Amino acid sequence: MRFDESVIREIHARTPIAEYIGQYVPLRKRGNDMVGLCPFHGEKTPSFHVHPDRGFYKCFGCGEGGDVISFARKIENLDFNDAVRMLAGKAGVELQPENPGAARARSEKEAIYEANRVAAEFFARALHGEAGAAARAYCERRGFSAATIETFGLGFAPPGWDALRDALAQAGVDPAIGERAGLLKPSQRGGWYDFYRDRLMVPTYATTGEVIAFGGRALADEEPKYLNTATTPVYTKGRHLFALNVAKRATQKDRTLIVVEGYLDCIALHQAGFENAVAALGTSFTDEQAAELRKYADNVYLCYDGDSAGTAAAFKAIDIATKVLEHAGRSVRIVGLPKGEDPDSYVRAHGHAGFQRLLDEAKPSIEFKLDPQIDRLGGGFDSPSAIARKAEELIRQMTPREEWDRWRVYVAGRLKVNVDDLRNSRFFANGANFVPAYGSAGVSGSRHVAAGAQPHSFEREVLSVVVEDPALAAEYVDRIAPGRFRNEVYRRVYERIVEQAGRLRETGDLYVLFAEDAAGLDVLSDLGRRDRSKTRQYGGADERRALLDRVVERLQLDDDKTRYQELSREIDRLYAAGQPVPDALRGEFDALVGRLKR
Ligand SMILES: [Zn+2]
């Protein structure tokens, strides 16, 4: 049985190799590796290395090495199929037999991975060789340490046309595969030539450890400055994130990732100690990249260059980040670089602490988008009421409904207007929105309360009073029980106000209380609309109490009538049966009749 390639990939992705091997071999961290005593040969000093970010292990004593599957085979003495089945079981990966088409595609992909691996090794050797002097000098100017060069597998593509081609041929890589990998170009005279020449080479690794693409940086001012792998069978532009194979380890601490535009910016951040930086790899930020981030991070910082192109890119990225990340509960913040700076220049000039300060000051994505608009509003010639109205429109367009109040507070503070002016501005905006004074629009006229049973006439009255003065809700709840409410939304609003009465100080608190309850919010805004109209209904506490007292009386009257009918039926039944009417019953009935007459 052959397994679909995706099964193997999923096993790699879901089985951290250091953790898995760590169950058999005690491992210690040494640099980027984990080391321990080899389980496959007897030794007293550790020569068994595990590379967590590349997904393989290697013993320098006995030569054993491979991926997590080969480790499982060897240590558990299993054949390939059984090892895959076991690891798939542990990792929760579904198994499907592979079809012949998938097998062909898999073998091509494997050949491309192999070509990339050979190329990466060749480039790395070339960087340290004679021809690599200029590239080494470039790394030095960039401030890349030997450890950084090693971690990122940086290399050098020699000048000339055939150095890599010959190296691939020597390693037995079919040049047609080299072409499929984007490493070689077909020559018009037949044969192939090297695509990357005289460039610093930066490989991109899949999170499972394979080299999937390269970026080539010109060492001087040649154009193009960057030459990148186009889409190949193992690499789709816009799907992968550079350095995620390294950064995903750092996310285990705090589930935070920093996204920058360029891979050299990203490397500079890693070297400055921000090992959770990734780069979006030569494209604008995509949905797929955001979805990839979502797997590893709860907090995402987007860091774009401090120029107009960078700002434009940030705005685009925010839309994607909001859709894919924020809607999935992740936090997205925008790092503001000063004009003319990129992450590399900034971190080199200001160090780890300087860049950390930028992270600490990063704005929530909404704020980043709102701020320029607020500045424009504040700097214009609008009247305060027009400013309030436009600001409210911005908030409603640009922020999620449950956060409107939070952003009203922010925007009002920046524009020096009243929060309530924002909240209410739209009701006065034009005639169409103006709501008639209380009374002329009946309860049933409210399209907002479509759900649930038709409310009693008092339900709205009670709510509009307690919305203005929540303390009264607690005071009257014994006499006006929530169970009296026929409309469930009204009842829910009333109940919550009763519960929270002690903590509600102003009407704005109510909006926060009902942040998650869209129907409740509709009721509130509907009530608020009437309460803010020119004829304010309730002048003061006395007037509010008087209204509630009238409701209490009316409810009492309803109760009395119901009870009167019950008692009448009971007395009639007793008479008909020739039985005496108990005194208690007669006493209650008489008292009831007395009250009802009044
Ligand atoms: Zn060994």
Side-chain angles (χ1 to χ4, degrees), residues 170-367:
Q170 221 166 37
V173 173
D174 180 351
I177 289 293
E179 185 187 336
R180 292 285 276 157
L183 294 163
L184 302 178
K185 289 273 159 197
S187 161
Q188 292 190 333
R189 295 175 315 234
W192 285 266
Y193 64 92
D194 292 358
F195 179 58
Y196 297 102
R197 299 176 304 279
D198 200 15
R199 283 171 182 266
L200 180 74
M201 296 302 293
V202 184
T204 292
Y205 293 86
T207 51
T208 41
E210 300 86 356
V211 177
I212 51 175
F214 290 94
R217 170 68 163 89
L219 296 176
D221 296 329
E222 317 83 281
E223 290 294 330
K225 201 151 77 165
Y226 293 98
L227 205 53
N228 299 318
T229 300
T231 290
T232 75
V234 303
Y235 174 74
T236 305
K237 220 174 142 181
R239 185 174 299 168
H240 303 274
L241 288 153
F242 174 74
L244 186 57
N245 61 314
V246 180
K248 71 182 167 81
R249 265 184 294 149
T251 61
Q252 285 165 3
K253 272 184 301 190
D254 54 3
R255 305 252 327 145
T256 298
L257 283 171
I258 305 167
V259 184
V260 297
E261 284 183 286
Y263 40 75
L264 294 177
D265 286 325
C266 178
I267 293 173
L269 285 179
H270 275 256
Q271 177 152 309
F274 296 97
E275 285 170 3
N276 55 347
V278 297
L281 268 181
T283 56
S284 54
F285 191 52
T286 65
D287 285 17
E288 283 168 309
Q289 288 170 336
E292 191 70 3
L293 290 173
R294 198 172 55 196
K295 291 189 207 157
Y296 299 98
D298 296 330
N299 311 294
V300 174
Y301 290 93
L302 298 176
C303 183
Y304 284 86
D305 292 357
D307 54 23
S308 55
T311 307
F315 273 102
K316 268 206 207 148
I318 287 172
D319 288 339
I320 289 164
T322 300
K323 186 175 67 184
V324 180
L325 292 166
E326 290 188 332
H327 289 175
R330 308 301 196 273
S331 123
V332 177
R333 288 182 168 259
I334 315 302
V335 178
L337 282 165
K339 253 203 174 68
E341 299 265 18
D342 57 41
D344 173 44
S345 66
Y346 195 87
V347 78
R348 276 203 283 160
H350 304 273
H352 185 280
F355 194 79
Q356 183 60 51
R357 215 159 33 243
L358 287 186
L359 293 180
D360 295 341
E361 290 164 3
K363 292 175 178 182
S365 59
I366 291 172
E367 200 175 310

Side-chain angles (χ1 to χ4, degrees), residues 36-43 47-48 57-65:
L37 294 172
C38 179
F40 304 124
H41 84 280
E43 61 173 6
S47 47
F48 181 80
Y57 69 95
K58 176 85 187 161
C59 174
F60 293 104
C62 66
E64 259 310 319

